[in-house]
Amino acid sequence: MRYLNLVLVAVLLSVSSCSKSKQTSIAPIVTPIVVNPVNTTLKDMPFKFGASVNARLLENNPAYKALVIKEFSSLTTENALKFATVHPLEGHYDFTDATNIVNLALANGKRIHGHTLNWYKSLPAWVTNFQGTTADWENLLKTHIQTVVGQFKGKIASWDVVNEAFEDDGTYRNSIWVQKLGTDYIARAFEYAHQADPNALLFYNDYGQEYSTAKRTAILNLVNNLKSRGIPIHGIGLQMHTRYNQSDANITSAITTAAATGLMVHISELDIALNPDNNQALTYTATLAEQHAAKYKSIVKAYYAIPKAQQYGITTWNVTDADSWIPTEYSRPDWPLPFDASYQRKAAYQAILDGVK
Ligand code: XIL
């Protein structure tokens, strides 16, 4: 529309300037001046804007790959660096998927964020069945972290070192890591990662920081404790798997309290559910699209208000509604991302751009 308007204006100007010139019998030649349409992408945001990417889709789906290359300035490995993928058997690592993502990112000038060195999920059977002393478990943790970080030293800019260590009530999740090593394994995980790549930026990553103040407080206490002990931690990841009716106040509090630690803040797994109540019959309407867009815009605005040096970036979890994990995970129709299932930009896309205007 805007493009058409510009062409029209150009044509009218050209006609009117001809009519002012000396009258001749020759009809004015109308030369449309072609003005390039503004082709802004998410790469043009004033902070990094990324997506978590799927190794299989990058391999098999050229349209997906082209969209990823076109739109994003940062890529997070969706599953390629999870324990079960990268270290499926004791002593055996498989870096194939991660290497493909890293090479694609580097070839296209994109930052890479590694997800995740430690989690209670996605553990291979050899870990859940592992028998050993405390020292053996410590060695397992350390060797895994240092082998994976070391493999991509100087290429992967940043890591989610520990993912989802807390329950929503703010207590430590009773993960296998806590059971075997106690809660301070978290500090050592950061130290091990730092030793393997001293230039990598290290994040604690979790969800629910917008809706649970207990969880938020527990995370802030952890992070401040690590900082005060000189443990190398550089940022907080707010996953932000949220919903269209989450309050702006809650979201802003999560962002500003994280920023108050002085660390970098990464909105690391953003998606906005439109069907949080699992209505199987729900359909996507213009009203929902507008509400979706409004929430994307308010999140971007709140994020853009924290100090520039702390804006590590915003990353959506997956790229389009066709590859979002939400419909599969919750067995429901949903439309959480800024691109639709046909890879077209939704209202939310423009809202993200508008959030920094
Ligand atoms: C999800 C992936 O997107 C799915 O493909 C996989 O089956 C399960 O994990 N929080 C996280 C991510 O930190 O690792 C999760 O990713 C989504 C929730």
Side-chain angles (χ1 to χ4, degrees):
M1 195 57 192
R2 186 167 174 187
Y3 171 60
L4 286 177
N5 285 342
L6 287 172
V7 171
L8 193 61
V9 167
V11 169
L12 290 175
L13 284 174
S14 148
V15 170
S16 75
S17 73
C18 281
S19 63
K20 272 182 211 140
S21 66
K22 236 197 282 173
Q23 293 293 313
T24 67
S25 55
I26 304 164
I29 299 164
V30 179
T31 328
I33 301 166
V34 177
V35 182
N36 283 331
V38 182
N39 195 13
T40 307
T41 71
L42 296 173
K43 285 207 291 267
D44 303 311
M45 292 285 281
F47 43 77
K48 295 278 187 207
F49 203 99
S52 77
V53 292
N54 184 282
R56 290 289 78 69
L57 288 172
L58 285 174
E59 199 171 80
N60 301 323
N61 183 333
Y64 173 91
K65 182 175 172 178
L67 188 64
V68 165
I69 292 172
K70 178 177 179 194
E71 292 285 353
F72 302 105
S73 50
S74 177
L75 303 184
T76 295
T77 54
E78 183 189 19
N79 294 316
L81 285 166
K82 288 177 182 171
F83 208 130
T85 311
V86 78
H87 194 176
L89 301 167
E90 188 166 4
H92 171 77
Y93 293 82
D94 183 350
F95 293 116
T96 318
D97 286 353
T99 302
N100 288 338
I101 295 172
V102 165
N103 288 344
L104 176 87
L106 293 179
N108 290 281
K110 301 181 195 304
R111 183 181 71 188
I112 310 150
H113 181 70
H115 175 85
T116 171
L117 297 171
N118 180 272
W119 196 21
Y120 74 101
K121 277 185 174 167
S122 190
L123 295 173
W126 78 266
V127 172
T128 50
N129 296 331
F130 187 79
Q131 301 293 321
T133 62
T134 305
D136 295 331
W137 276 97
E138 189 72 25
N139 182 53
L140 189 164
L141 175 76
K142 180 178 181 180
T143 306
H144 175 78
I145 291 176
Q146 298 206 322
T147 306
V148 175
V149 174
Q151 176 73 17
F152 297 104
K153 184 177 179 195
K155 293 183 173 174
I156 293 193
S158 50
W159 288 93
D160 289 330
V161 178
V162 175
N163 194 36
E164 302 181 356
F166 290 101
E167 301 280 3
D168 281 358
D169 66 3
T171 59
Y172 279 98
R173 196 183 289 282
N174 189 24
S175 68
I176 201 165
W177 307 108
V178 169
Q179 290 167 30
K180 304 297 179 186
L181 295 169
T183 57
D184 209 39
Y185 85 88
I186 295 176
R188 297 195 298 280
F190 278 86
E191 284 174 328
Y192 296 148
H194 185 66
Q195 287 161 9
D197 187 352
N199 292 322
L201 297 172
L202 306 179
F203 285 73
Y204 175 80
N205 193 55
D206 215 328
Y207 65 90
Q209 298 175 74
E210 69 285 8
Y211 64 73
S212 167
T213 48
K215 187 171 194 171
R216 182 193 307 162
T217 305
I219 292 167
L220 296 172
N221 288 343
L222 166 75
V223 162
N224 286 325
N225 172 272
L226 294 175
K227 272 181 64 189
S228 70
R229 291 161 59 194
I231 305 292
I233 177 165
H234 309 103
I236 300 178
L238 307 173
Q239 289 188 6
M240 205 67 83
H241 293 291
T242 193
R243 42 185 69 190
Y244 76 99
N245 52 357
Q246 181 57 259
S247 77
D248 288 346
N250 280 352
I251 290 169
T252 302
S253 294
I255 294 170
T256 54
T257 55
T261 63
L263 296 182
M264 282 181 289
V265 180
H266 183 199
I267 295 186
S268 56
E269 304 189 12
L270 178 61
D271 47 28
I272 303 179
L274 287 174
N275 190 11
D277 297 328
N278 290 301
N279 175 356
Q280 293 303 322
L282 192 70
T283 54
Y284 186 64
T285 59
T287 310
L288 280 180
E290 272 167 39
Q291 290 174 309
H292 198 227
K295 196 54 67 181
Y296 265 98
K297 185 172 174 179
S298 65
I299 291 174
V300 168
K301 264 182 119 160
Y303 184 73
Y304 196 43
I306 68 171
K308 178 102 196 122
Q310 289 174 268
Q311 293 169 10
Y312 196 62
I314 295 183
T315 297
T316 59
W317 201 251
N318 306 122
V319 178
T320 77
D321 289 342
D323 54 282
S324 167
W325 72 301
I326 296 276
T328 321
E329 180 79 11
Y330 300 101
S331 305
R332 71 181 189 220
D334 213 327
W335 307 269
L337 289 166
F339 295 92
D340 69 18
S342 308
Y343 296 10
Q344 300 304 304
R345 296 169 173 181
K346 294 160 63 181
Y349 182 97
Q350 186 58 44
I352 292 169
L353 301 179
D354 291 347
V356 295
K357 275 183 189 159

